[in-house]
Amino acid sequence: GFCKIGADVLNLSIGILINICAKLNICTSNSPPSQSPKPLAVTFEKPYRQYKMITKRILVITYLTFTLFFLLGVFMSFYDYSYYGYWTDKLINWIWLVFTVTIIFCFWKNKITRIYFFSLLTLILLSILPMAIPFFGIVFSFTTINDSQQIKLNNSFRIERTRQQAMSMPRIYVYQRIGLLEKNICRPVYGEIIESVLNLKGNESNIDEEKLSIQEAKLVSFNNDSIGIEYKILNNKKLIYHKTENDDGY
């Protein structure tokens, strides 16, 4: 899936960045000073080369930093953790993507950089083959597609109405803040919540879940086993208890 693809790409990128850093260190070695007078063009050329080399070093270090943040985000997703807030992960993803393009452009003459580029391209193409499910997972992680609604319950909890995979049904993702991170503690099916709040039977539920929004959501209780949320949909209110730490699908 997306997590495995992201891990493979980032492992490859770290190796390439180490190689680039090594080449930059070699290229910046100072030659012994000459006693002969130098033309003005040569005098300005050396500071420019040094400035260019320092700029590339800063670029590589910055890219490596965001690559590590990106890799950490991919790793945490295996355990339902993420950075705190709705936009944080997407912002890190886009910064990593922009720096990836910049690194490839600046170091295109480097053979390993070209290998890195074609490896990324190959992984993207491979993600399209299995019904494009991994590919859409990548797209959803970078964009707001299928993210229908976000509601902050209090400073520690928030809910998100979304579909995180191409073939998954709409769910309510409940997040609990833990310092600078947050954990998805449960993700009940949104259609079941609608049926419960509106007191509908299975054969009576012909409502478009994508267009039916939650008017209000209020946190009522929370413990180690469940979380109680009062939903208001179509002016109907109902308190629903969701089990936490369960094996809900995605």
Side-chain angles (χ1 to χ4, degrees):
F2 165 65
C3 295
K4 184 177 184 303
I5 292 175
D8 293 340
V9 170
L10 292 166
N11 287 335
L12 177 62
S13 65
I14 290 175
I16 290 173
L17 289 172
I18 293 174
N19 180 274
I20 292 175
C21 288
K23 289 183 178 297
L24 288 175
N25 288 333
I26 293 173
C27 293
T28 54
S29 58
N30 296 325
S31 57
S34 174
Q35 300 298 326
S36 60
K38 298 180 180 179
L40 184 60
V42 176
T43 304
F44 283 104
E45 183 179 0
K46 185 176 180 180
Y48 172 74
R49 286 181 178 177
Q50 291 177 342
Y51 170 78
K52 187 176 180 181
M53 198 58 56
I54 292 174
T55 302
K56 287 186 175 182
R57 280 185 177 182
I58 295 174
L59 177 62
V60 170
I61 292 173
T62 304
Y63 180 54
L64 178 59
T65 301
F66 280 101
T67 298
L68 293 176
F69 277 117
F70 188 29
L71 177 60
L72 180 60
V74 173
F75 174 77
M76 291 191 300
S77 67
F78 284 103
Y79 303 95
D80 290 328
Y81 280 90
S82 60
Y83 296 108
Y84 172 70
Y86 171 73
W87 292 104
T88 307
D89 287 284
K90 298 183 186 301
L91 181 62
I92 292 175
N93 292 349
W94 274 103
I95 292 176
W96 176 82
L97 180 60
V98 170
F99 272 104
T100 298
V101 174
T102 305
I103 285 288
I104 292 174
F105 177 79
C106 292
F107 296 95
W108 181 252
K109 294 182 179 180
N110 189 306
K111 181 180 179 181
I112 297 181
T113 303
R114 294 195 295 272
I115 294 174
Y116 180 44
F117 169 74
F118 287 110
S119 298
L120 290 175
L121 185 61
T122 301
L123 288 173
I124 293 174
L125 294 176
L126 289 175
S127 70
I128 300 176
L129 294 180
M131 300 178 65
I133 294 177
F135 174 76
F136 282 112
I138 297 172
V139 173
F140 292 165
S141 68
F142 278 80
T143 65
T144 60
I145 297 176
N146 287 332
D147 294 342
S148 304
Q149 195 173 7
Q150 299 85 38
I151 299 176
K152 184 177 181 180
L153 302 178
N154 57 25
N155 291 331
S156 299
F157 293 91
R158 72 178 183 92
I159 63 175
E160 183 178 328
R161 181 164 64 93
T162 183
R163 288 195 300 122
Q164 292 195 352
Q165 295 183 8
M167 301 183 68
S168 64
M169 59 185 67
R171 292 180 178 272
I172 298 297
Y173 281 68
V174 183
Y175 293 95
Q176 179 185 10
R177 181 175 182 177
I178 305 175
L180 298 177
L181 307 176
E182 62 183 15
K183 184 177 183 182
N184 173 219
I185 58 176
C186 62
R187 41 190 177 273
V189 177
Y190 184 48
E192 296 177 357
I193 294 175
I194 293 175
E195 292 178 4
S196 179
V197 173
L198 301 182
N199 196 24
L200 300 174
K201 296 181 180 179
N203 56 359
E204 296 177 352
S205 181
N206 296 321
I207 298 176
D208 189 351
E209 300 173 357
E210 300 288 345
K211 297 181 180 179
L212 187 59
S213 300
I214 300 172
Q215 293 172 295
E216 294 179 6
K218 182 172 65 175
L219 178 66
V220 176
S221 65
F222 172 73
N223 56 46
N224 293 331
D225 299 319
S226 66
I227 181 171
I229 301 176
E230 183 183 71
Y231 296 94
K232 181 180 180 181
I233 302 174
L234 292 180
N235 295 322
N236 291 275
K237 290 185 178 181
K238 186 169 184 179
L239 174 61
I240 301 177
Y241 289 91
H242 305 297
K243 291 183 179 180
T244 59
E245 307 297 339
N246 55 18
D247 295 327
D248 289 336
Y250 292 89

